[in-house]
Amino acid sequence: MHVGTSQVLSNKLKEEIWSHKDEVDTIIGYILEGDGHHGSYKRLARITDGFGHRVSGSEALEDSIDFVMAEMEAEGFTNVHGEDFQMPNWQRGEDSCELIEPRRVKMPLLASGSSISTPLGGITAEVVVVRSFDELADLDRSETEGKIVVYNQPYEGYGTSTAYRGHGATKASEKGAVAALVRSITQFSVNSPHTGQQYYQEGVEDIPTGCITVEDAEMLWRMQESGQSMVIHLDMTSLTDGMMTTRNLVGDLEGTSFPDEYVVVGGHLDSWDVGTGAMDDGGGCAISWEAMVIIKKLGLTPKRTLRTVLWSAEEQGLLGGVAYYEQNQDLVPNVSIMMESDSGTFRPLGIGFSGSDEARAIMREILDMTSALNATQLGSEGSSPDTGDWVRAGVPGGNLINQNDDYFIFHHSEGDRMTVQDADEMDLCTALWTSVAYVVADLDELLPREDNSRK
Amino acid sequence: MHVGTSQVLSNKLKEEIWSHKDEVDTIIGYILEGDGHHGSYKRLARITDGFGHRVSGSEALEDSIDFVMAEMEAEGFTNVHGEDFQMPNWQRGEDSCELIEPRRVKMPLLASGSSISTPLGGITAEVVVVRSFDELADLDRSETEGKIVVYNQPYEGYGTSTAYRGHGATKASEKGAVAALVRSITQFSVNSPHTGQQYYQEGVEDIPTGCITVEDAEMLWRMQESGQSMVIHLDMTSLTDGMMTTRNLVGDLEGTSFPDEYVVVGGHLDSWDVGTGAMDDGGGCAISWEAMVIIKKLGLTPKRTLRTVLWSAEEQGLLGGVAYYEQNQDLVPNVSIMMESDSGTFRPLGIGFSGSDEARAIMREILDMTSALNATQLGSEGSSPDTGDWVRAGVPGGNLINQNDDYFIFHHSEGDRMTVQDADEMDLCTALWTSVAYVVADLDELLPREDNSRK
């Protein structure tokens, strides 16, 4: 047992946790060596091979939601339903980007989510390349006005570099630019463009924006450095056409003692419209859904309700997560833990956790109990894109720490395919995810919070 | 000095080799810390950024040959000229591949070099997926006749796996298939198709063929495994339109004592028509050309002629290499060493060498003399695609051993761009390449051959 946190817990509680050791071993054995072998991988393949990408607003997303709901019904889960919400109806058009001078080069382009289109016939403009917002700020307005600003920012981690996609258009527009092209946010490229959401700012003129490849951004930078002037023709028809409706998906395995208390596991079923969203976030959906299936198949009967939520419209700015919270926040006192996996399902390393010291000590015990999986890290942050509101409201949060060094090579690109996923690694993720969810759902008490409040 | 080979050499010869230590140090210093810093990288960028890909038959290749020749003339090299040869005029058309059943998926396709087109309107046919030639052989003809054969062979190294692209169409045609699609030959993919040459066989009907991505090949395999039947629509207009002329490029730095003896360094300037051929084989061209420039700039005056050959049409089956040998084989007795770099210019590890024991001992001494570069491996094979005929004729051959583990991630794909290249690593390659070429060119004798023959 873990020194340093174990004294927080009473012996009685520790005994209660460890009384689940047999069930946990059963879960792990079922997945690694039993009928559950490669179950989450196969489940994910049915979604990705069957429906392809599932961008919000697409028929494929709605079809895949219907598919999962029908499966969940057939699997005997209860309360299976969708929860509608509204979102902007942004549609990717036919977008193209061509270097005209000094040499004609067709450059792969992915418009950034929410980008406006170019005027009919496109934009032909000179190019100025910068490597940072600071470099842009240092330019005289005459050097940017009427031009296409290209950001060739180095990759300094997703959290940092993503600001260029998110706000590059606004910053360029403030300097009078007519469009902004952003180097794809990745550490490794095979000339692969990566997309993602961008955010206009009120009071600043909207200009079209999208991502080009690392290779092209670097080429434009070299051309500028060698004194060549560049002209790009940009033609984009992507646009936002009013609002539309999509759904979060909910399905329950009802608790035997506290049916109105919840352990929520999930991921977001929507993806970007490139690749098939196997990694982002099909994997998180698959291990969550599979967790519920396994617990039911093994005849385990957790005391409180195990709920799978598959959020939608995460990619457009966590819209599904926000909607689910708004529509269900009366459950804040009733949710023992909100677990979302949305940073890959590579080899699991542990669980990120947000919650009280006592709750953390409980998680520590559970991870010690599942140490056969070699995934015993207990991270200090358990929030996840779609669970942030819940965690901020005091609900304990859990996420999956995994060996996801390659995550951003595939993220939001055509490379987000089943090939990224490893069935054995997914088994380990599923075993960890299922064990943690099951034990927390079966404890006598909700995970304790800072203020010891209980509904 | 190296134990085991040094006794092969006379003390006099060893002294002669090591008498070049100062010049070698000058070369290395000039490149790593002097005016030559990043010279080969910049040279390569001028070619790739200026002309893009340089597939044989393209204006870009001919323009880049003209460009290099004009530069070489301006740099004061002699005998700068092109040497024409004929090759099949294969032209990539508009090729597309779409999965129709069970789900519509546009699959990136690169026709393999020399592939015929599909009949007008394309081919729509059922799909059968195999993982090996053995699996194909085991199928009943009824399972392949009239179908599109998809090879989902695992990557087992380029040398092994490339047989599927090279001969997959022929093997499929022998079983009555109407087309063959081959999983791209790479160990890592971001849904990136890789092209390359394929070879029809006389007496077997030609069928259209090309490469799809690893991701799509694996998806088709999973679909087949899960019992789904698949239909693909393939529309290809690539075709061979008679013969055409292209050129190898030659430029000399004339030797001061033995002008009719040669040390040849080079690479192939042609590339595939994806990416910009920065790695394959712009890097080899750049370090070879740069070697000659550096030796001249430093005022070094090697005894024999240093010749740069930039071959063409390597990608279509070593056609330039074969032509250069046919047109110049009278020089076999006069060439001290034939050095081609065509497996990347990543961090150098040493020199691969084919030749007599005595010549090998000389190379060992030279590599010991350049040990500051940490690239002292002396490999057992010094042949290279365009120098094979020379080496088989008894000419000593050298190539560049380098840390090219990632080579086939980019090879023949849109990812073969300057971003692959590292200017510092290229400096190390250039320093090694230049030092070896210079010392061999300045020795009193040609590198000794097995039979001790000299013209």
Side-chain angles (χ1 to χ4, degrees), chain B residues 1-62:
Chain B
M1 301 209 186
H2 195 264
V3 182
T5 57
S6 57
Q7 65 270 31
V8 176
L9 304 182
S10 68
N11 282 337
K12 183 161 168 289
L13 181 48
K14 278 196 268 189
E15 273 167 32
E16 193 206 342
I17 296 167
W18 282 84
S19 73
H20 293 86
K21 180 75 164 69
D22 283 352
E23 287 107 313
V24 162
D25 288 346
T26 300
I27 289 169
I28 293 174
Y30 178 79
I31 296 169
L32 301 190
E33 295 158 2
D35 289 348
H37 193 53
H38 292 178
S40 54
Y41 178 90
K42 290 175 195 158
R43 197 170 286 279
L44 178 57
R46 289 182 67 197
I47 297 174
T48 60
D49 291 343
F51 299 95
H53 79 68
R54 302 167 305 283
V55 73
S56 293
S58 69
E59 218 169 284
L61 174 60
E62 298 305 318

Side-chain angles (χ1 to χ4, degrees), chain A residues 49 103 218 222 417 419, chain B residues 49 103 216 218 222 419:
Chain A
D49 292 343
R103 179 168 72 83
E218 290 190 344
R222 282 192 305 275
R417 299 285 300 269
T419 298
Chain B
D49 291 343
R103 179 168 72 84
D216 283 332
E218 290 189 345
R222 281 192 305 275
T419 298

Side-chain angles (χ1 to χ4, degrees), chain B residues 10 23 72 93 102 112 134 144 148 153 230 240 279 281 295 297 345 363 426 448:
Chain B
S10 68
E23 287 107 313
M72 281 185 172
S112 298
D134 286 346
T144 53
I148 295 173
Q153 79 289 342
M230 295 159 283
T240 302
M279 180 191 77
D281 177 32
I295 289 167
K297 276 205 181 149
T345 48
M363 295 303 289
M426 285 191 75

